[in-house]
Amino acid sequence: MYCFSCRLFLNEQKYSKSSWRVAGVSNWKKAREKIKEHAESEAHLTSMVRWNTFKKSALRSAFDVSDALGKAKRDREKQQNRELLTRLIDITLYLARQGKAFRGDDESDTSRNQGNFLELVKMFSQYDSVLKLHLENLKCQKIGKNRCQVSLLSNRTQNDLIKALATFTKREIRKEIEEASIYSVLIDETTDVSHCEQVSIVVRYVYQMEIKERFLQVCNVAKTTGEEMEKTVLDLLKNNNLQIENMRGQGYDGAANMSGQYKGLQSRILQHNNKALYVHCQAHCLNLVLVEAAKSSIHFITFFNLVQKLYVFLTSSTKRHTAFVKCQEALHPGERVIQLQKLSDTRWACREKALKALLKVISSVVKVLTDITQQEPPDTAAGDARMYLKAIDFEFLLCLEIASPVFEVTALASDALQNSDIDLSTAYAVVNGVKDTLSNLRTEQQFGKLFKSASEKAEAAGISIPIAPPGQQRQRRVPAKYSHSTHAAVESHSFQSLEDYYRVKVYYTFIDVLSQELERRFRGDGETQSNKILSALHSLTKPNKWIGKEIIGPDSLEAIHTLCEFYGGEEQKLKTELRVFYASFQDTSTVKDILKTLRDNNGQDIFPTLVKMITTYATIPVSTATVERSFSKLKLVKDTLRNLCSEERLSDLLLLAIEKDIPLNHSEVVNIYRDMAPRRLML
């Protein structure tokens, strides 16, 4: 009989005489005594310790091998799942950015069209081994009637992927805002296809010396009062970790609930932060200028009404529209057919396209109206055609010639004011350019060219040109008792020619009203605190005020004092930085140029006070065009077939559809998806 532990774990020389290890014990009569004696010996206790130590190390080694194999297997499975999810993320992002629907009416296996998401997965599986293997595994499990693994193709997964992508995009936007430290908000509201009032919110800030306008969220509100809008904005800022103390501007339209001086949203926000300056959307201001100009005289009121009626008459009927197209092809063979454009009720700058199209095809319009009136047997619309044909007289052609170049100038200005990265200094320059253009147009020579062009078009179309000015065909003698009254003096005024009449009564009146409205709406209402601050900020972009003079003018010093008192800063330091900056970099005339120069020359360290003021000026909004562009996406995302989309999902889809330039990090999106809820897959 041998001792197992001693035989294996006692190799030293001093234990070589142990009978339990070498020769064994064969005296069975005294086995119990021998076993007890050996169990208490030093040699046996030593071997037992060594045996236990060996067992622990062997077990640990076995577990380590097992853990290594399991970890490698888990890592491979985890990597495969992340690769699969990466492809599904790309498909989700594609559909979201294109504003397409995800699901279909019938997503069963027997359906011929399972919806955009599943159909894209099936299509890409033909070229991608990861998707192909995943779909084959799902198919095999369904055939074997086993419990299906996580498919990642359900509607819940689609919604979670949309949410993960939107969360990642919001995080990136918040990081940029935190780095910018200050921001402005732009807000507007509209009614969607399900008759819900949607408020769209955009933030404007300067990130890495570039002006950014980012869509943040869309909210469904029951009321649009100033109080309700204030609550909505404060909740939004809180949910996105934005401090209202860092707000520097507000951009809304002119509605009373938004721009009201006492109960409007802008006045309520000012109570929380007096540095959040309100700016009326400059593009809306330009539209209002055109609205007033269109009502400058009865001639233009009649003109625009007729332009709209001609569009409706020639496009509402397929028969008349076909005749109009054939008439263009006959009069202008080989040229592209031009369609009449509808007059926009809100975007008056867009009327330039309608006037431009009508000016090119006016001869075809007259021809098709004439053909309708002479048709045998008579057409049911012959009466309307005769009425419109009679209304297209020389005065209509002259108004068309006058309005077209003016609306062309304002359309260019409107497009410039709607750029997302435009600043107020550039907006002021654009408006001043429009004023200068109108001033150049208000000449007898310019009107003579327009009058001559209208006369040539009238002769070509067979339209008679009046000989005498309207109302002067028959001169009526004024009674002697009224000869000295003002009314009589006005009526007794006569024009020497038809050209004089339309130049004074129509052309000059139209141009003057435009100029006056531009001055009134873009100059501001008096010396308010907001206008004073904006004027002081604008003076920072004028190099001639800071260089070339030994002594800075009092207006410039007052601007520095106003800004440093309002925003904080040292007046002497700002003055010195301005002089050094413009002396060193003279080719800077706009805010964008200044920001670019500061970025390229490490201006944050050299001109800290100037950077603070210029970034503040760039942060203040110019127009709400970015907000209204989100409404265009809203019509695509929430249409008649997707009108039950929840508010949160709608906001996420709009964010992904609008903010397409933010680079995607698949790994972070997968991590967000993983942490949203407990997952059965290892990610």
Side-chain angles (χ1 to χ4, degrees):
M1 183 169 57
Y2 297 90
C3 176
F4 176 81
S5 61
C6 293
R7 189 175 176 84
L8 293 179
F9 296 100
L10 290 179
N11 299 322
E12 289 84 352
Q13 185 65 27
K14 63 179 180 179
Y15 299 123
S16 59
K17 296 181 180 181
S18 174
S19 59
W20 289 88
R21 173 178 175 272
V22 181
V25 177
S26 58
N27 189 357
W28 292 99
K29 294 180 180 180
K30 297 182 179 181
R32 290 187 178 183
E33 295 177 9
K34 294 287 185 181
I35 290 174
K36 184 178 180 182
E37 179 183 353
H38 177 69
E40 296 175 354
S41 66
E42 177 185 352
H44 180 74
L45 293 177
T46 301
S47 67
M48 289 297 295
V49 170
R50 293 179 179 179
W51 185 17
N52 288 330
T53 303
F54 173 79
K55 287 193 294 184
K56 287 183 179 180
S57 62
L59 186 62
R60 186 181 302 111
S61 177
F63 274 122
D64 289 342
V65 173
S66 177
D67 286 344
L69 296 175
K71 186 176 183 302
K73 181 179 179 181
R74 290 194 299 273
D75 288 343
R76 287 195 301 271
E77 184 179 352
K78 181 178 178 180
Q79 183 63 27
Q80 292 174 358
N81 292 336
R82 293 181 78 91
E83 289 181 0
L84 173 62
L85 205 56
T86 297
R87 287 153 174 78
L88 298 180
I89 286 173
D90 286 336
I91 294 175
T92 303
L93 187 61
Y94 167 78
L95 292 174
R97 286 181 172 177
Q98 299 302 319
K100 301 297 184 181
F102 279 70
R103 302 184 63 193
D105 294 334
D106 184 5
E107 295 184 346
S108 62
D109 295 337
T110 58
S111 174
R112 300 177 64 89
N113 184 0
Q114 293 181 299
N116 290 328
F117 184 83
L118 295 180
E119 291 295 330
L120 280 175
V121 170
K122 289 195 296 184
M123 183 189 71
F124 283 116
S125 67
Q126 301 176 18
Y127 310 96
D128 185 82
S129 59
V130 175
L131 287 174
K132 181 178 181 180
L133 181 62
H134 180 67
L135 294 182
E136 288 178 352
N137 290 338
L138 293 177
K139 186 176 181 180
C140 291
Q141 292 196 8
K142 288 182 180 180
I143 293 175
K145 296 182 180 181
N146 298 326
R147 183 179 179 182
C148 184
Q149 66 178 23
V150 179
S151 67
L152 294 177
L153 303 178
S154 65
N155 59 330
R156 178 180 175 182
T157 300
Q158 296 172 29
N159 291 337
D160 287 349
L161 290 176
I162 294 172
K163 184 64 179 176
L165 284 166
T167 302
F168 169 79
T169 305
K170 278 189 177 182
R171 286 182 183 178
E172 295 299 310
I173 294 175
R174 284 200 292 266
K175 288 178 183 177
E176 294 181 355
I177 298 176
E178 289 174 1
E179 184 173 333
S181 73
I182 57 175
Y183 65 93
S184 295
V185 294
L186 294 84
I187 299 176
D188 203 353
E189 67 269 359
T190 189
T191 304
D192 61 20
V193 69
S194 59
H195 308 289
C196 296
E197 193 72 23
Q198 300 288 355
V199 175
S200 181
I201 302 173
V202 171
V203 287
R204 178 185 172 102
Y205 52 91
V206 177
Y207 175 67
Q208 295 181 350
M209 293 302 172
E210 291 184 2
I211 300 174
K212 302 282 187 179
E213 287 188 357
R214 299 288 194 189
F215 174 82
L216 198 60
Q217 191 172 337
V218 64
C219 303
N220 185 6
V221 295
K223 300 179 182 178
T224 56
T225 61
E227 182 179 2
E228 186 68 23
M229 294 299 296
E230 176 192 15
K231 182 178 180 300
T232 301
V233 172
L234 294 179
D235 291 342
L236 171 80
L237 297 179
K238 182 179 179 181
N239 295 336
N240 290 275
N241 298 324
L242 300 178
Q243 304 298 324
I244 195 171
E245 293 80 11
N246 296 331
M247 188 186 297
R248 291 295 179 267
Q250 309 174 65
Y252 318 128
D253 56 20
N257 64 326
M258 307 296 286
S259 63
Q261 186 176 357
Y262 301 104
K263 295 184 179 181
L265 175 61
Q266 64 97 4
S267 63
R268 293 175 181 271
I269 296 296
L270 283 174
Q271 294 176 6
H272 296 278
N273 179 11
N274 65 336
K275 293 182 176 62
L277 303 181
Y278 164 66
V279 177
H280 188 185
C281 174
Q282 303 294 286
H284 278 83
C285 289
L286 184 59
N287 288 334
L288 295 175
V289 168
L290 299 177
V291 170
E292 294 299 324
K295 297 187 295 184
S296 61
S297 65
I298 187 63
H299 308 283
F300 276 103
I301 293 176
T302 306
F303 166 72
F304 282 110
N305 286 337
L306 182 56
V307 171
Q308 178 65 13
K309 289 179 179 179
L310 286 175
Y311 164 80
V312 174
F313 181 76
L314 293 176
T315 58
S316 60
S317 169
T318 306
K319 180 180 177 181
R320 292 193 291 270
H321 180 263
T322 303
F324 175 60
V325 171
K326 290 183 178 179
C327 186
Q328 284 192 61
E329 294 173 347
L331 293 178
H332 310 285
E335 296 184 7
R336 184 174 64 88
V337 174
I338 297 176
Q339 303 292 342
L340 295 180
Q341 302 291 323
K342 181 181 179 181
L343 297 183
S344 173
D345 295 331
T346 55
R347 286 296 179 191
W348 279 69
C350 297
R351 296 196 168 200
E352 180 263 342
K353 295 181 180 179
L355 297 179
K356 189 175 181 180
L358 182 59
L359 185 62
K360 291 181 179 179
V361 299
I362 187 63
S363 58
S364 301
V365 172
V366 173
K367 180 68 169 58
V368 73
L369 291 176
T370 304
D371 293 343
I372 293 175
T373 57
Q374 297 176 355
Q375 186 176 347
E376 292 293 342
D379 192 281
T380 55
D384 292 338
R386 184 182 298 276
M387 179 179 62
Y388 296 141
L389 190 60
K390 186 176 180 180
I392 302 178
D393 54 7
F394 174 76
E395 182 177 298
F396 176 83
L397 296 178
L398 182 60
C399 288
L400 183 59
E401 290 287 342
I402 293 172
S404 295
V406 174
F407 273 77
E408 184 176 357
V409 173
T410 55
L412 293 175
S414 180
D415 292 341
L417 292 175
Q418 294 179 49
N419 290 333
S420 59
D421 59 348
I422 191 174
D423 54 82
L424 281 174
S425 66
T426 307
Y428 293 150
V430 169
V431 174
N432 290 333
V434 175
K435 292 180 182 178
D436 294 340
T437 304
L438 293 177
S439 178
N440 296 332
L441 290 176
R442 197 187 184 280
T443 61
E444 292 186 8
Q445 294 79 5
Q446 184 64 30
F447 177 74
K449 295 179 182 178
L450 299 176
F451 189 85
K452 181 180 179 181
S453 178
S455 301
E456 293 175 352
K457 284 185 171 58
E459 292 177 358
I463 298 174
S464 61
I465 302 175
I467 300 176
Q472 293 184 196
Q473 289 84 354
R474 293 177 56 192
Q475 296 292 334
R476 188 174 66 176
R477 183 179 178 183
V478 179
K481 62 180 180 179
Y482 298 124
S483 60
H484 301 290
S485 66
T486 305
H487 179 72
V490 173
E491 289 203 352
S492 63
H493 176 74
S494 60
F495 295 92
Q496 297 298 323
S497 64
L498 183 69
E499 184 175 350
D500 291 341
Y501 173 83
Y502 281 115
R503 184 178 65 250
V504 175
K505 287 289 188 179
V506 179
Y507 187 65
Y508 284 172
T509 302
F510 184 63
I511 298 295
D512 290 343
V513 170
L514 269 174
S515 301
Q516 293 168 8
E517 288 296 317
L518 281 172
E519 183 69 20
R520 182 175 71 88
R521 294 190 179 275
F522 287 92
R523 182 186 58 191
D525 300 328
E527 289 296 326
T528 62
Q529 175 73 2
S530 177
N531 291 333
K532 188 177 179 181
I533 298 299
L534 292 177
S535 178
L537 287 170
H538 186 58
S539 67
L540 300 181
T541 63
K542 302 295 182 181
N544 56 353
K545 290 189 175 186
W546 311 104
I547 58 174
K549 300 178 182 179
E550 294 183 2
I551 301 177
I552 298 177
D555 293 342
S556 301
L557 293 176
E558 178 63 24
I560 290 179
H561 174 72
T562 300
L563 293 176
C564 291
E565 184 181 15
F566 190 71
Y567 291 113
E570 299 180 14
E571 297 182 24
Q572 184 61 36
K573 189 174 182 181
L574 178 58
K575 182 174 67 173
T576 304
E577 290 181 7
L578 283 166
R579 300 198 69 154
V580 174
F581 176 79
Y582 283 115
S584 305
F585 312 102
Q586 298 181 3
D587 298 332
T588 51
S589 56
T590 64
V591 172
K592 291 178 65 176
D593 293 338
I594 296 173
L595 291 174
K596 184 177 184 301
T597 303
L598 291 171
R599 180 189 62 202
D600 296 341
N601 296 277
N602 199 21
Q604 297 91 329
D605 299 330
I606 305 174
F607 311 103
T609 310
L610 177 60
V611 168
K612 175 184 177 182
M613 297 300 175
I614 290 298
T615 53
T616 300
Y617 191 33
T619 301
I620 296 175
V622 177
S623 72
T624 59
T626 304
V627 186
E628 297 194 3
R629 291 189 188 100
S630 68
F631 296 153
S632 300
K633 288 293 184 181
L634 177 63
K635 294 179 181 179
L636 298 177
V637 174
K638 190 174 183 180
D639 55 17
T640 54
L641 298 179
R642 305 168 70 189
N643 58 3
L644 297 180
C645 184
S646 65
E647 179 182 346
E648 182 179 4
R649 188 172 188 268
L650 174 63
S651 184
D652 292 341
L653 289 173
L654 281 176
L655 180 65
L656 298 176
I658 295 171
E659 301 301 336
K660 298 180 180 180
D661 62 327
I662 296 179
L664 180 64
N665 188 321
H666 291 85
S667 179
E668 290 191 22
V669 176
V670 172
N671 293 338
I672 294 172
Y673 172 81
R674 177 195 63 195
D675 298 337
M676 287 172 57
R679 304 295 179 187
R680 291 169 57 190
L681 285 178
M682 288 187 296
L683 297 171

